[in-house]
């Protein structure tokens, strides 16, 4: 019995060491699981944010083309309202599921900025459906749309902790300078 009592501290040390090692591995695995889970959700949010922006930008490009047909925009590829109608309808249909995904996975700030952007795009579409010919009013809508897009991208970057990006404001040569 005396030999056992002499070995007891070593045995207790081995048990405590094994238990400590087990707890360290469990804690490390749990931390890795949460990091990987956060990374997966971040990738999904980025995909949803990008998909929504692409969908909305498709509608914006169509509005540029129809506005050019009406004389409101200098877009080089005008498109009549009749030709654009099915494309605009499809863009609106595509926008709904992208918007639902955004509502499901997006942060409150990103969703609010997306709402601001899409409301302006819908105003642009209404402007064109009414066949308004007012380049100045169109330019005001374009500026609001661009500001809405910038706000959306800034909110996305903040949500995903991305560095600041380019504002996507590229000066275009004047029409008279092109000729």
């Amino acid at each position: 019995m005396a030999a056992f009592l002499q070995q007891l501290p070593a045995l207790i040390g081995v048990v405590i060491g094994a238990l400590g090692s087990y707890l360290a591995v469990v804690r490390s695995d749990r931390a890795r699981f949460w990091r990987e889970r956060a990374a997966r959700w971040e990738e999904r949010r980025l995909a949803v944010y990008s998909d929504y922006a692409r969908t909305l930008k498709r509608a914006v490009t169509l509005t540029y083309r129809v506005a050019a047909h009406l004389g409101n925009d200098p877009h080089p590829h005008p498109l009549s309202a009749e030709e654009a109608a099915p494309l605009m309808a499809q863009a609106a249909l595509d926008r709904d599921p992208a918007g639902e995904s955004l509502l499901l996975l997006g942060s409150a700030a990103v969703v609010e900025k997306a709402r601001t952007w899409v409301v302006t795009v819908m105003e642009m579409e209404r402007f064109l459906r009414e066949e308004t010919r007012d380049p100045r009013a169109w330019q005001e809508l374009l500026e609001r749309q661009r500001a809405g897009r910038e706000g959306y991208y800034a909110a996305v970057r903040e949500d995903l902790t991305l560095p600041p990006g380019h504002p996507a404001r590229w000066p275009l040569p004047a029409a008279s300078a092109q000729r």
Side-chain angles (χ1 to χ4, degrees):
M1 185 70 150
F4 176 74
L5 289 176
Q6 285 179 336
Q7 297 293 326
L8 190 58
L11 186 58
I12 291 173
V14 168
V15 169
I16 291 174
L19 184 60
S21 179
Y22 171 77
L23 291 175
V25 168
V26 166
R27 187 168 186 206
S28 173
D29 284 349
R30 182 174 290 159
R32 186 181 43 163
F33 168 78
W34 287 109
R35 275 193 313 271
E36 289 173 358
R37 181 175 183 237
R40 280 193 310 272
W41 281 110
E42 192 169 286
E43 288 172 12
R44 288 179 182 159
R45 283 197 329 269
L46 177 60
V48 165
Y49 292 162
S50 298
D51 185 48
Y52 186 77
R54 261 191 313 277
T55 301
L56 208 52
K57 186 62 177 159
R58 192 174 311 122
V60 168
T61 300
L62 285 170
T63 65
Y64 290 170
R65 294 182 68 192
V66 174
H69 179 76
L70 295 173
N72 294 321
D73 194 274
H75 195 283
H77 304 290
L79 189 64
S80 72
E82 296 78 29
E83 292 172 308
L87 300 171
M88 299 280 275
Q90 187 60 49
L93 286 173
D94 292 344
R95 191 165 57 218
D96 285 343
E100 290 300 317
S101 295
L102 182 72
L103 288 173
L104 181 64
L105 294 177
S107 73
V110 171
V111 170
E112 182 56 32
K113 294 297 183 178
R115 185 195 64 76
T116 300
W117 187 19
V118 76
V119 165
T120 303
V121 171
M122 291 165 62
E123 288 175 18
M124 292 168 71
E125 292 169 344
R126 186 180 73 241
F127 181 93
L128 298 174
R129 276 193 307 275
E130 294 170 356
E131 297 188 14
T132 307
R133 287 177 166 79
D134 185 351
R136 179 169 293 185
W138 177 252
Q139 285 303 313
E140 290 172 11
L141 279 172
L142 284 182
E143 286 305 312
R144 286 183 40 217
Q145 183 275 141
R146 288 176 181 137
R149 182 181 66 180
E150 283 180 32
Y152 174 76
Y153 287 151
V156 166
R157 287 185 189 103
E158 185 176 325
D159 183 43
L160 299 176
T161 61
L162 298 173
H166 192 278
R169 298 253 180 162
W170 296 308
L172 298 176
S176 60
Q178 292 177 354
R179 294 180 187 170

